[in-house]
Amino acid sequence: METWDYVVVGAGSAGCVVARRLSDNPSMRVLLIEAGPSSKTFWSNVPAGMAMLIGDERFDWRYMTEPVPALNGRRISWPRGKTLGGSSAINGMVYTRGNRRDYEHWVSLGNPGWGWTDILPYYKRMEDNVRGANEFRGQGGPLKISDAAPASRAVQAFIEAAHRCGIERVDDLSVAGEEGVGLLQATIHKGVRQTTYDAFIAPVRHRGNLDVLTEAHVARVLVEGAAAVGVEVIENGKLRTIRAAREVILSAGVTNSPHILMLSGIGDAEHLGAHGIRARVHLPGVGKNLQDHVGAHVKVQTRPGWSHNRDLRGWRKYREGLRYVVAKTGYLGASATLAAAFVRSSSKVDYADLEIGFRPMTFSQAPNGNILVDDCDAISANVYRVRPASRGEILLRSADPLQSPAFHANFLSAPEDQEATLSGLRLIRRVLSTDPIASGIVGELQPGPEARSDEQLIEFVGKYGKSSYHPVGTCKMGNDALAVVDARLRVRGVNRLRVIDASVMPTPTSGNTAAGTTMIGEKGADMILADAMDILPPT
């Protein structure tokens, strides 16, 4: 049996960070395990290549939810990265920290040390922001943060129209943790996607104390007595045992971390027993508390010159491709969403509970998740409730580690989520009917001018609503009955085992969740080192 000091499962948005920071100490031997392969293809470097990567079984787990009642019983595509970099290798690259009050809420739920002032140093440490350092931004860290480009005519018009509707402009929208409207930043460097693997692992891959194992599927955590001692992996169809002298860290994501725990006998005892798995630790919260950002797009037809669609279809897409290959510029070098407004759905809400994202283009998604640019001049804005009340769960289908679990997403099951979404759709219409953006719009394509009543708009959401691919919460931290890890991310009832990824968020950050997941990797790694070597966190 092979032994490392630390075994990190999952080379994604958090796992790459954890492995890098642990290996910064040359006396620690670290193994990073990834179920997928390297994703180094042409499209994996191109920001717009996400349309080619999502749905590709080489790099995407291609998960589907169970039928969602509030979405007309549809099964919803739920891509998750299966490659070095994890979901940071196939996501939209949008970089937002969420609202500073999100983190104070985490503290109120029994998680000391996770307030805004506690986590801000970790955000700044990990960032190399093109705008330079200030009280919010970091510079000199591994992860390159750039301004989303190009900030075209339509993008600027959307921001101005939102401002005229009473939404305050925020210059540092991605990092300041405030409400308002502005440009979004992205994990793109000189026109190339920056995954957490690119940022944190690739520069130190040569280290003698850091090993990376790809195409190895972790079947379970090995537990002896009350402690995790390693993992069992399936590699080339054969079982392999890997030992951890210090700790096992699950960074396999919102779907796979709870799945691995359950396969290891850590979860709800009754549910495990139904699949013939002996419960080592009864933790009923494993797989529970699933939350995601779910919403719908408003699409409007525009006059020529307002939409990117024309440049991304037909012969023009080859011109854009050449432009990108030669100079790494143009529409292929842009992130998925270029501007956003964080607003309140009503005056009763304490702080912004809606994100309205703007795109100077439109696309349609096939049932299998494939993405195609629409064949017309059009732009779009989508809305979702950033702190949903709806809760779902992840359950086992069987004890077979190669069979995916069942995802009962329960999207929009809470009436207040539907009400907030309706408010957001009406606000989008108000912004798009306000100059200067209104002058470029010909008419509404989706949901269409005939959809006016609440009932008609809810019907529209049921037909077209989809996940924004920001699931969190299935191994939440806290001290209540459903908490899976404590505030130091240690699995309750099992020594030497932690979960460090988006599954530990008790509630999602108010915006795209990739940045928060990377921060959790930074803070989690420091907790491991502090517990092992009495190292203090950054100040």
Side-chain angles (χ1 to χ4, degrees):
M1 289 181 292
E2 305 154 287
T3 302
W4 282 261
D5 291 304
Y6 294 99
V7 174
V8 182
V9 179
S13 297
C16 286
V17 185
V18 173
R20 161 65 181 272
R21 295 308 188 190
L22 295 179
S23 72
D24 284 347
N25 185 328
S27 68
M28 302 295 187
R29 295 188 65 231
V30 181
L31 175 65
L32 177 62
I33 303 175
E34 171 54 42
S38 166
S39 66
K40 284 308 163 189
T41 67
F42 172 77
W43 288 114
S44 67
N45 290 322
V46 181
M50 64 172 291
M52 308 297 291
L53 299 174
I54 289 177
D56 187 327
E57 62 183 6
R58 294 174 298 171
F59 312 126
D60 179 3
W61 287 97
R62 298 179 67 188
Y63 290 134
M64 298 288 289
T65 70
E66 296 300 299
V68 181
L71 298 182
N72 290 6
R74 291 181 292 129
R75 299 183 69 203
I76 304 300
S77 172
W78 213 18
R80 296 283 89 201
K82 186 179 67 171
T83 181
L84 293 175
S87 292
S88 76
I90 68 170
N91 69 2
M93 296 150 289
V94 174
Y95 189 84
T96 57
R97 294 176 179 171
N99 192 289
R100 61 188 67 194
R101 294 174 67 173
D102 297 333
Y103 304 98
E104 304 308 325
H105 180 58
W106 289 3
V107 173
S108 74
L109 295 175
N111 298 293
W114 288 91
W116 174 255
T117 57
D118 300 310
I119 56 91
L120 186 57
Y122 291 100
Y123 272 122
K124 294 175 72 173
R125 183 174 80 177
M126 75 192 201
E127 296 170 353
D128 188 13
N129 197 305
V130 70
R131 297 187 186 181
N134 66 8
E135 61 178 315
F136 301 123
R137 298 190 300 260
Q139 192 173 42
L143 187 63
K144 308 291 185 183
I145 310 298
S146 69
D147 291 322
S152 62
R153 174 187 187 183
V155 174
Q156 298 292 351
F158 168 79
I159 293 172
E160 176 59 23
H163 179 62
R164 293 183 184 183
C165 288
I167 303 172
E168 184 177 352
R169 289 179 181 268
V170 178
D171 289 334
D172 273 339
L173 188 69
S174 287
V175 300
E178 298 174 350
E179 300 178 26
V181 64
L183 293 172
L184 291 170
Q185 293 194 291
T187 50
I188 298 172
H189 179 55
K190 296 182 178 179
V192 176
R193 173 192 287 272
Q194 283 280 290
T195 71
T196 52
Y197 178 82
D198 298 327
F200 289 88
I201 297 296
V204 300
R205 183 75 184 263
H206 62 278
R207 286 177 173 172
N209 68 328
L210 173 63
D211 292 294
V212 180
L213 178 63
T214 59
E215 300 184 79
H217 189 111
V218 173
R220 64 190 178 103
V221 176
L222 299 174
V223 179
E224 294 179 1
V229 297
V231 295
E232 190 175 73
V233 303
I234 301 171
E235 189 180 15
N236 297 320
K238 298 180 180 179
L239 287 177
R240 176 180 175 184
T241 298
I242 295 170
R243 305 280 290 193
R246 289 179 178 265
E247 289 192 28
V248 174
I249 300 101
L250 294 183
S251 296
V254 171
T255 56
N256 293 334
S257 284
H259 190 210
I260 293 170
L261 286 178
M262 288 187 279
L263 292 171
S264 309
I266 303 167
D268 181 81
E270 183 177 354
H271 178 59
L272 299 181
H275 294 280
I277 299 174
R278 180 174 69 87
R280 290 182 171 273
V281 179
H282 175 57
L283 271 184
V286 173
K288 303 291 193 297
N289 192 51
L290 174 62
Q291 299 155 75
D292 195 5
H293 293 153
V294 180
H297 287 75
V298 173
K299 297 182 180 181
V300 294
Q301 186 176 357
T302 67
R303 305 183 195 283
W306 285 79
S307 169
H308 297 178
N309 285 5
R310 186 182 300 237
D311 295 289
L312 297 172
R313 292 186 63 95
W315 66 268
R316 292 182 179 86
K317 70 182 179 183
Y318 299 107
R319 181 181 64 186
E320 279 300 310
L322 180 63
R323 182 182 176 191
Y324 180 81
V325 169
V326 171
K328 296 294 186 292
T329 59
Y331 302 134
L332 295 187
S335 60
T337 306
L338 302 185
F342 294 94
V343 297
R344 308 182 194 204
S345 62
S346 77
S347 59
K348 300 177 183 178
V349 178
D350 290 337
Y351 66 104
D353 64 330
L354 295 176
E355 179 177 353
I356 295 174
F358 179 77
R359 296 170 178 161
M361 60 170 293
T362 62
F363 58 82
S364 297
Q365 188 172 31
N368 66 357
N370 290 343
I371 297 171
L372 297 173
V373 176
D374 293 332
D375 189 16
C376 63
D377 287 317
I379 58 178
S380 66
N382 72 301
V383 62
Y384 53 76
R385 194 178 193 208
V386 294
R387 297 186 303 283
S390 302
R391 297 290 187 273
E393 62 180 342
I394 294 175
L395 298 172
L396 291 172
R397 292 185 193 276
S398 78
D400 180 357
L402 296 179
Q403 185 172 4
S404 70
F407 307 107
H408 298 273
N410 228 13
F411 296 149
L412 298 178
S413 58
E416 52 265 51
D417 291 346
Q418 296 186 20
E419 292 168 6
T421 303
L422 288 174
S423 174
L425 290 172
R426 296 193 188 284
L427 178 57
I428 287 174
R429 282 175 160 175
R430 185 156 69 92
V431 172
L432 295 181
S433 64
T434 301
D435 279 330
I437 199 165
S439 63
I441 294 173
V442 175
E444 186 175 286
L445 300 172
Q446 181 181 292
E450 69 281 356
R452 308 305 303 178
S453 69
D454 287 356
E455 293 74 19
Q456 289 171 320
L457 290 175
I458 287 295
E459 182 180 356
F460 158 70
V461 174
K463 187 175 182 179
Y464 293 103
K466 59 181 284 293
S467 167
S468 295
Y469 314 145
H470 303 155
V472 306
T474 51
C475 297
K476 75 168 186 175
M477 60 177 166
N479 54 22
D480 62 277
L482 292 182
V484 175
V485 300
D486 64 15
R488 298 191 71 76
L489 310 185
R490 299 171 296 200
V491 175
R492 296 185 174 278
V494 187
N495 298 324
R496 296 169 43 179
L497 177 62
R498 300 191 204 225
V499 178
I500 304 179
D501 56 32
S503 70
V504 306
M505 294 185 187
T507 53
T509 53
S510 295
N512 307 61
T513 52
T517 305
T518 306
M519 177 276 295
I520 287 170
E522 284 277 15
K523 185 170 172 62
D526 257 22
M527 288 175 166
I528 294 170
L529 292 170
D531 287 349
M533 304 178 65
D534 197 28
I535 294 176
L536 297 176
T539 58

